[in-house]
Amino acid sequence: MSSKGVVDMSSSESLSWRRLFSFFVPLGISASLVTISHVIINSTLARSAHPETVIASYAIAGSLLTLTERPSTLLRQTCSALVRDRLSFQALTFVTKIFLACVLLIGFLIVYSPVGTGVFKYLFGVSPDLLNKVIDVYEILMYVSIFSVIRNIYQGIIITNNRTKWLTIGMVFRLAGMYGLSLYFIYTDSIDSGRVGAIIFATGMMIEALVSFLEGNSIKRKMPAKLEDHPVESKGDVFRFYKPLLLSSFVALFIGPVINIVLGKTTGIALAISSFAIASSLMQLMLSFFTYIHQIVLNFYLVDAKLVRKFALVTGFIPFAMMVSIAYTPLGPWVLENVMSVQGELLQQSLWTLRAFVLFPLIFPFLDFSNGLILLRGQTKTMFRSQTANAICTVIVLLILVSIFPAWNGMIGAVAQSLGLLAELIIVWLVIRRTKQEPTMSVPKARKSTSLKG
């Protein structure tokens, strides 16, 4: 930490395993705690007089919100990669305002025009009796994008400056606020619609955004106005970096729906979709702690590349080991039955699907590490190409398997998604090997800088 309170990323300060873990563990904890948010909301809505309708209205509206959440999350990566002074942060906030304005415009069209009816009725297949309830929920959820953007850009500053404990602190305050509000709705017996879930979620996001803003803004004020060697100066620099990430996120959004559509062609439609959803959620839970390896690369690769590679190698195999220990031992059936309340044929199908997912947690950490190198170099166009390769490979494998082995049910989706991720990793690796350049913070078509001090 410099005297100005901002980490000097190009300093010769020795890097240790302890420092890497002290940086990484709070990130992993905060990512894992996110799942508790959904537990709080669903357990609250389940206490309503008509839980099926209430939960369904919230879940459908929330699924539309996820379409804007992924691009918003990419702003955190963009901030971590590009922001090193107040000028670059100003450029980022300009791009952020444009993104947020577009998201809110779409939200207003969905809530206050016939567009929403068309989207939910024809795209999501919502029944007429549920349509107005879903739109009412989204009327609240669309404002979550504001808090999400604030949270993500200031978390980017926090992460870059090694204050990652504040992500965990923010998440703890968020969960405490959500739980307190949940108890209020329960004890006042006022859980009458899915809007209750939206209010709880929006309140939690607002609390986390406030914590992130207070800490991140404190760091930002101590940043230099302009670093001499920093290439990021204008909104164009940020947009060239962010646009390929945005496009790649749109490509990724199609993968989930396509998998569900193809699973609808299997011999056991409901069983296939349900087993895939259960196995996928369990796998994502095991992966959640390890979704920030790219931040290790962004923040420490230039300090000690060899140690960072060792760290990624050690931590990268942990999700795979966890998956094997659950999918291929008696622990798996026990977890599915006693923790997730899955029984009968669905339990067996979910277990088989989980086993078919075994490649995914082996590939993901190393893809995340490789994407960190791509972000560090500013080669974000590569991520659009790799994500496209993922989508194409996933669709091809889905179509082949469903035509040859329709009885595989949920396993079809697991194998296709795993091989799609492998295709994405191969493209990224090929680009890294072909360029053979030392990672350096830059933006495409902008003047290069051999180091960034800040």
Side-chain angles (χ1 to χ4, degrees):
M1 190 73 63
S2 69
S3 61
K4 293 185 178 182
V6 181
V7 170
D8 185 351
M9 295 309 300
S10 60
S11 69
S12 58
E13 180 184 351
S14 62
L15 190 61
S16 64
W17 284 93
R18 181 178 180 179
R19 185 179 175 196
L20 288 177
F21 275 110
S22 65
F23 174 89
F24 182 73
V25 170
L27 293 176
I29 293 174
S30 65
S32 299
L33 289 176
V34 170
T35 58
I36 300 179
S37 297
H38 306 300
V39 173
I40 292 173
I41 292 172
N42 289 328
S43 62
T44 303
L45 298 182
R47 296 172 181 266
S48 66
H50 305 284
E52 297 86 359
T53 302
V54 171
I55 293 175
S57 64
Y58 173 79
I60 294 170
S63 64
L64 180 59
L65 180 67
T66 59
L67 299 183
T68 59
E69 269 295 287
R70 182 177 172 87
S72 174
T73 302
L74 293 172
L75 287 169
R76 179 167 52 209
Q77 298 175 0
T78 302
C79 183
S80 293
L82 300 185
V83 172
R84 294 295 181 273
D85 53 31
R86 293 200 298 274
L87 182 62
S88 55
F89 183 80
Q90 184 179 356
L92 174 70
T93 54
F94 184 89
V95 174
T96 299
K97 289 174 183 177
I98 294 176
F99 165 77
L100 188 57
C102 292
V103 170
L104 291 177
L105 177 61
I106 293 171
F108 278 110
L109 288 174
I110 289 173
V111 173
Y112 301 111
S113 79
V115 172
T117 300
V119 168
F120 287 118
K121 184 177 181 180
Y122 299 107
L123 187 61
F124 287 86
V126 178
S127 58
D129 60 311
L130 198 59
L131 192 59
N132 289 333
K133 294 181 177 65
V134 173
I135 294 177
D136 286 344
V137 174
Y138 191 75
E139 185 178 12
I140 296 174
L141 286 181
M142 70 176 182
Y143 293 106
V144 169
S145 297
I146 300 174
F147 310 128
S148 179
V149 163
I150 294 172
R151 177 196 66 173
N152 287 327
I153 61 174
Y154 283 100
Q155 281 186 352
I157 295 177
I158 292 170
I159 291 171
T160 303
N161 289 274
N162 290 277
R163 308 281 190 89
T164 52
K165 66 179 181 181
W166 283 97
L167 270 71
T168 303
I169 293 171
M171 181 56 67
V172 169
F173 277 110
R174 166 182 166 175
L175 294 177
M178 292 177 67
Y179 184 65
L181 192 57
S182 168
L183 292 178
Y184 167 79
F185 282 115
I186 291 172
Y187 285 115
T188 57
D189 195 24
S190 52
I191 308 170
D192 54 355
S193 72
R195 288 171 69 92
V196 169
I199 292 170
I200 294 174
F201 185 65
T203 301
M205 288 293 290
M206 182 171 60
I207 292 172
E208 189 180 11
L210 178 61
V211 173
S212 300
F213 170 77
L214 292 175
E215 176 62 18
N217 192 53
S218 174
I219 298 172
K220 186 201 73 174
R221 290 200 304 266
K222 299 172 184 176
M223 285 180 171
K226 174 70 179 78
L227 284 174
E228 183 179 351
D229 296 329
H230 193 19
V232 182
E233 299 178 347
S234 68
K235 57 183 180 292
D237 293 332
V238 175
F239 188 70
R240 280 192 294 271
F241 184 96
Y242 180 66
K243 184 173 70 172
L245 296 179
L246 187 63
L247 294 175
S248 69
S249 72
F250 289 141
V251 173
L253 290 173
F254 287 100
I255 295 177
V258 168
I259 290 175
N260 285 328
I261 290 171
V262 174
L263 291 181
K265 309 296 181 182
T266 57
T267 54
I269 300 174
L271 200 59
I273 295 175
S274 299
S275 62
F276 178 80
I278 291 168
S280 179
S281 64
L282 186 55
M283 181 199 65
Q284 292 297 338
L285 181 61
M286 287 183 281
L287 272 177
S288 61
F289 192 89
F290 303 91
T291 54
Y292 280 100
I293 293 177
H294 65 275
Q295 290 290 354
I296 290 286
V297 179
L298 280 173
N299 288 276
F300 298 109
Y301 196 91
L302 296 179
V303 179
D304 191 336
K306 185 177 180 180
L307 184 58
V308 168
R309 286 194 292 265
K310 287 181 179 178
F311 181 88
L313 193 63
V314 170
T315 57
F317 284 103
I318 296 177
F320 174 70
M322 293 170 61
M323 172 67 88
V324 171
S325 67
I326 291 180
Y328 291 93
T329 71
L331 183 60
W334 185 88
V335 169
L336 288 170
E337 184 174 1
N338 295 283
V339 178
M340 304 187 73
S341 302
V342 181
Q343 298 178 347
E345 180 64 17
L346 180 58
L347 187 152
Q348 188 60 55
Q349 290 283 340
S350 299
L351 185 61
W352 287 343
T353 303
L354 193 64
R355 290 172 178 172
F357 259 127
V358 71
L359 277 178
F360 198 100
L362 179 62
I363 297 168
F364 180 85
F366 300 103
L367 173 62
D368 201 37
F369 172 85
S370 302
N371 280 336
L373 291 177
I374 293 298
L375 290 168
L376 193 60
R377 296 177 176 185
Q379 298 172 321
T380 50
K381 289 183 179 179
T382 298
M383 297 179 72
F384 173 67
R385 293 196 293 268
S386 64
Q387 191 65 64
T388 302
N390 183 337
I392 293 173
C393 180
T394 300
V395 171
I396 291 174
V397 175
L398 280 170
L399 295 176
I400 292 174
L401 292 181
V402 79
S403 62
I404 301 176
F405 307 108
W408 280 17
N409 294 328
M411 290 187 290
I412 292 174
V415 172
Q417 197 168 15
S418 299
L419 293 180
L421 197 72
L422 178 60
E424 183 177 351
L425 177 61
I426 290 172
I427 295 298
V428 174
W429 270 358
L430 288 174
V431 171
I432 291 174
R433 288 179 61 85
R434 187 178 71 244
T435 53
K436 292 182 179 178
Q437 68 183 68
E438 281 300 312
T440 163
M441 285 287 197
S442 62
V443 288
K445 297 181 182 179
R447 61 184 183 274
K448 296 182 178 180
S449 173
T450 55
S451 68
L452 288 179
K453 301 176 181 178

